Amino acid sequence: MDRLISKLADDGTVMMAWSSVHDTQYLAMLARTDFDAITLDMQHGMQTESSVIAGTAAIVPSGKPVVVRIPVGRFDFASKALDSGVHAIIAPMINTLEDAKQLVSFTKYIPVGDRSFGPTTALNLLGQKRDDYVTQANDKTLALAMIETKQAVENMEAILDLDGIDGVFCGPADLSISVRGTPVPDPYGEDTLPIVEGMAKEAKARGKIAAAFCPTPKDANLVQSMGFRLLALGFDASYIGQGADKMLGELDFR
Ligand code: 3PY
Ligand code: MG
């Protein structure tokens, strides 16, 4: 159960793969890379309810924690994903304190939230005893609120102050769209950098986690230097595409 929080202890930086592809053999391979954790993306990625459950079962034996980004507002599935053995939930578009309360209600057991009892699959997969799991889950599984609109930025401090919210997760593309008022994203563009820095600062001030999606290693280096410690890097297409192109690029005859 400590898989994710132990990696974050002592200010460690955790690198997460970000996966849209739901083949279980592929996910087991991804889990054998040097990534510290695997995120299954249901919002824009092609992960589905059944692929998250099957994917979690395929990844957990590797010892790596599984993180799930639920679709917008699918707090019911946040509970079920935790029941399937997942270690953290990333919830997109948490714009208001009300949204954050909903997230907490479905991801934390009483007295913090109202998560309903039923982690049988998680117990089997993680090799946990029932009472140990339910008494430790609130601290050892994470609820991360995505901050990716102007409205969310306005409400960020209240969201971070909420008991049960373990941290904020920066969505740099949507944030730039919301700030600029155009549909063309500019992740980590100049105009959003002060906001992004503020996320790290406010999270740290409360002893909470600053997490972020990083399209490129350059972005990861930048936000890590600002204090973000849970970083999702790239996505499947970049892992497969860049790996293939690198091998082909090393051929002398092409
Ligand atoms: C964003 O950048 O908006 C995200 O949601 C990252 O996946
Ligand atoms: Mg987004």
Side-chain angles (χ1 to χ4, degrees), residues 18 41 43-44 69 146 148 169-175 213:
W18 189 265
D41 181 21
Q43 186 196 11
H44 297 297
R69 177 164 75 168
M146 282 198 78
E148 49 183 350
F169 191 101
C170 173
D174 277 311
L175 181 64
F213 181 77

Side-chain angles (χ1 to χ4, degrees), residues 110-244:
I110 54 164
V112 181
D114 311 297
R115 180 178 165 192
S116 168
F117 172 78
T120 323
T121 307
L123 300 186
N124 279 328
L125 211 51
L126 301 172
Q128 286 287 310
K129 292 201 168 34
R130 183 196 68 182
D131 294 2
D132 291 340
Y133 180 88
V134 293
T135 51
Q136 295 173 31
N138 282 2
D139 295 326
K140 296 187 175 174
T141 60
L142 306 178
L144 301 170
M146 282 198 78
I147 302 295
E148 49 183 350
T149 64
K150 280 199 292 190
Q151 190 188 18
V153 173
E154 277 156 25
N155 293 320
M156 180 174 66
E157 293 195 33
I159 291 169
L160 269 169
D161 282 337
L162 184 65
D163 193 19
I165 291 291
D166 297 295
V168 284
F169 191 101
C170 173
D174 277 311
L175 181 64
S176 68
I177 287 169
S178 175
V179 166
R180 300 159 133 228
T182 81
V184 181
D186 182 22
Y188 302 117
E190 289 292 326
D191 44 0
T192 50
L193 284 186
I195 298 175
V196 174
E197 275 182 314
M199 279 184 213
K201 188 172 137 261
E202 296 301 337
K204 190 171 183 177
R206 292 160 175 84
K208 295 198 172 182
I209 297 162
F213 181 77
C214 306
T216 67
K218 185 168 164 260
D219 299 324
N221 289 333
L222 174 73
V223 299
Q224 206 275 349
S225 73
M226 291 176 183
F228 286 82
R229 290 293 178 266
L230 181 60
L231 308 181
L233 176 62
F235 38 85
D236 304 306
S238 47
Y239 311 146
I240 296 167
Q242 288 181 24

